Amino acid sequence: MFVEIILGFTALIAVFGIASIIRRVDVDPKGKAVLITGCDTGFGYQLSKALDRLGYLVYAGCLFKDGENAKELEKATSSNLTILQLDVTNEKQVSEAFQLINSDLNVKNLNGLWAVVNNAGTSTFGHVEWNTMDTYKFVSEVNLFGTIRMTKAFLPLIRKVKGRVINIASGLARQGAAGRSPYVVSKYGVEGFSQCLRYEMKEWGVHVSIIEPGNFVAATNIFTDESISKLSKKMWEEMSEEVQEAYGKGVFDGSVQIMKYYSECGVKDTSPVVNSLKDAVTKKYPKVRYEPKDLYWHVRTFVMLHMPHFISDRLYHF
């Protein structure tokens, strides 16, 4: 019996070892085109440069094509990278991007698009009663419907070459947090959309990867002290008098300070997320889910997903 157990563990280790070796195999970047959204800053900016260096044909979608960051990206990369004006909430710009990319692929005698990386995103904070419906709609329009819009537009080109769809969800895409509902709602949607798409695309040989980062706010500057102060001022002014009186300015200001602390205490290096995105694009056998997180977020995710609510509530929502 003991020998059988040892042999079983040995076989299991061997399987995991072989799988690990297989996962290291890269695809040939020659003739492979990748579209990335949200390339003005952060993950998209860094991923665009990384894939360009590897020899991929990169279409870098920027919210501000003529902005300083887009110009810097163009200077820092080769002629294989094309900057696109791309607001993922704008149907016309998405359609124009498709026409440009489709035409360019035809000129280069390429059959389709290897990957679309849905990276563009936005965020906000504040309790449910503090946020307007317009805020909920805007955050979801970027994070969720922008992801769906881009995916639907470019799937025909991706299916042709059995490529990839890579969506950025969040550490808050499978667990809630007080004061983050507009963002959490949108990322839960991205998670659900990605799972459904993954099952549907299996018959086409298209792989769907979900990137689930922890707290990288400090690395991306999606929030700064200045932007939080500006958002909070607008939020307070848009609240009804009843809500202002019910919560009080002291509670509101305390929540704002917590958000400022949160934006400064996360991981300050973008490379864990960029490396996960790069892996999802370049590996022959990419993962379904990547979780670039520090220890705190790994533990929190496990507790929130697998432990009884009275434990997770006690630890994280007291």
Side-chain angles (χ1 to χ4, degrees), residues 173-187:
R174 294 188 291 162
Q175 57 182 294
R180 299 301 304 281
S181 64
Y183 179 75
V184 170
V185 165
S186 70
K187 290 301 186 178

Side-chain angles (χ1 to χ4, degrees), residues 121-136:
T122 189
S123 189
T124 190
F125 66 97
H127 288 18
V128 171
E129 291 190 283
W130 302 354
N131 279 287
T132 64
M133 283 305 300
D134 284 342
T135 297
Y136 278 93

Side-chain angles (χ1 to χ4, degrees), residues 3-23:
V3 174
E4 291 174 350
I5 292 173
I6 294 297
L7 289 174
F9 273 114
T10 303
L12 192 61
I13 292 170
V15 168
F16 277 110
I18 293 169
S20 177
I21 292 170
I22 290 173
R23 280 214 66 261

Side-chain angles (χ1 to χ4, degrees), residues 188-201:
Y188 258 76
V190 171
E191 172 72 26
F193 171 72
S194 302
Q195 292 287 8
C196 294
L197 181 69
R198 185 169 74 86
Y199 300 137
E200 292 175 8
M201 287 295 107

